[in-house]
Amino acid sequence: NFLPTFVEALAGFVFGNIAAVLFAIIFAYSRFIRQAYFPVVLFFNTIPILALSPIIILIFGLGMTPKIIIAAIICFFPTLVNMIRGLASATANEEELFHILSASRFEIFLRLHFPRSLPMLFSSLRIATATAVIGAIVGEWIGADKGLGALIIRATFNYQSDQLYAAIVAASLLSITLFAIVAAIEARILRYDRR
């Protein structure tokens, strides 16, 4: 039961955060698109995931795809908001220096805005490690015959406390492992970035 949850959580984590970073870049550099579509994203985020999950499962079936989508949705919004803030965190003096040096918009993004956003991005990614696992488990609660979420439901209804506790510990270990991987990548990238 561990492997399906691991695959769903990892895929949801990757897809959700990649989408969040891409949307954040678009929103940060296009005020019109941000004003038009950020309220839609905000409204979508206000829908409880337990209410949204059955709809996603009805649309995509009972395979891994809906669980990955649920995990990705949970990861998406915090990373989007923090990445937008990170991309806008450069000071006016830094912006002016790059303009004096005749840097292009892409060079300003690559050498100023993106490096400035990395600490906030990695903070979001650390949070997303736990939420991705939660999203995968919630998806399995609603419609799955395997995975840690399905095992938790089965063990609860059958009063199998040993399996219930084992599933909870396995889910926690999965979150901790993903957190440790992100923290290790963050330490390496930010140390390299400071050189």
Side-chain angles (χ1 to χ4, degrees):
N1 289 292
F2 181 84
L3 187 60
T5 305
F6 171 73
V7 171
E8 292 156 4
L10 184 62
F13 175 83
V14 170
F15 292 135
N17 286 301
I18 287 173
V21 168
L22 293 176
F23 272 89
I25 292 167
I26 293 167
F27 287 164
Y29 288 96
S30 175
R31 183 175 294 177
F32 173 77
I33 294 175
R34 183 172 68 244
Q35 289 175 344
Y37 292 103
F38 190 77
V40 176
V41 174
L42 181 62
F43 172 76
F44 192 68
N45 185 61
T46 61
I47 302 170
I49 199 65
L50 281 172
L52 199 58
S53 298
I55 298 168
I56 294 169
I57 288 171
L58 280 173
I59 294 170
F60 293 99
L62 293 172
M64 278 191 173
T65 304
K67 284 79 170 180
I68 292 169
I69 291 170
I70 292 164
I73 288 170
I74 289 182
C75 294
F76 177 81
F77 193 75
T79 302
L80 174 72
V81 171
N82 278 338
M83 189 67 181
I84 290 171
R85 287 184 62 203
L87 289 169
S89 64
T91 64
N93 289 338
E94 290 168 331
E95 296 273 2
E96 187 177 349
L97 176 62
F98 273 79
H99 286 299
I100 289 169
L101 295 171
S102 301
S104 66
R105 288 188 73 182
F106 181 71
E107 287 172 328
I108 294 171
F109 166 75
L110 198 63
R111 301 194 181 275
L112 177 63
H113 294 157
F114 188 72
R116 277 305 189 98
S117 70
L118 287 177
M120 297 193 89
L121 172 62
F122 278 107
S123 295
S124 300
L125 293 180
R126 279 187 257 129
I127 294 166
T129 56
T131 57
V133 175
I134 292 167
I137 288 172
V138 167
E140 290 168 353
W141 281 351
I142 294 168
D145 57 353
K146 56 186 176 180
L148 294 176
L151 181 61
I152 288 169
I153 293 293
R154 224 172 21 249
T156 301
F157 283 113
N158 294 329
Y159 300 100
Q160 296 169 320
S161 57
D162 55 342
Q163 288 193 15
L164 176 63
Y165 294 136
I168 291 168
V169 169
S172 296
L173 288 174
L174 176 56
S175 295
I176 291 167
T177 303
L178 292 175
F179 184 93
I181 291 168
V182 169
I185 294 169
E186 176 185 15
R188 177 163 294 199
I189 288 176
L190 293 185
R191 186 170 60 241
Y192 176 78
D193 189 51
R194 291 190 191 104
R195 289 178 184 175

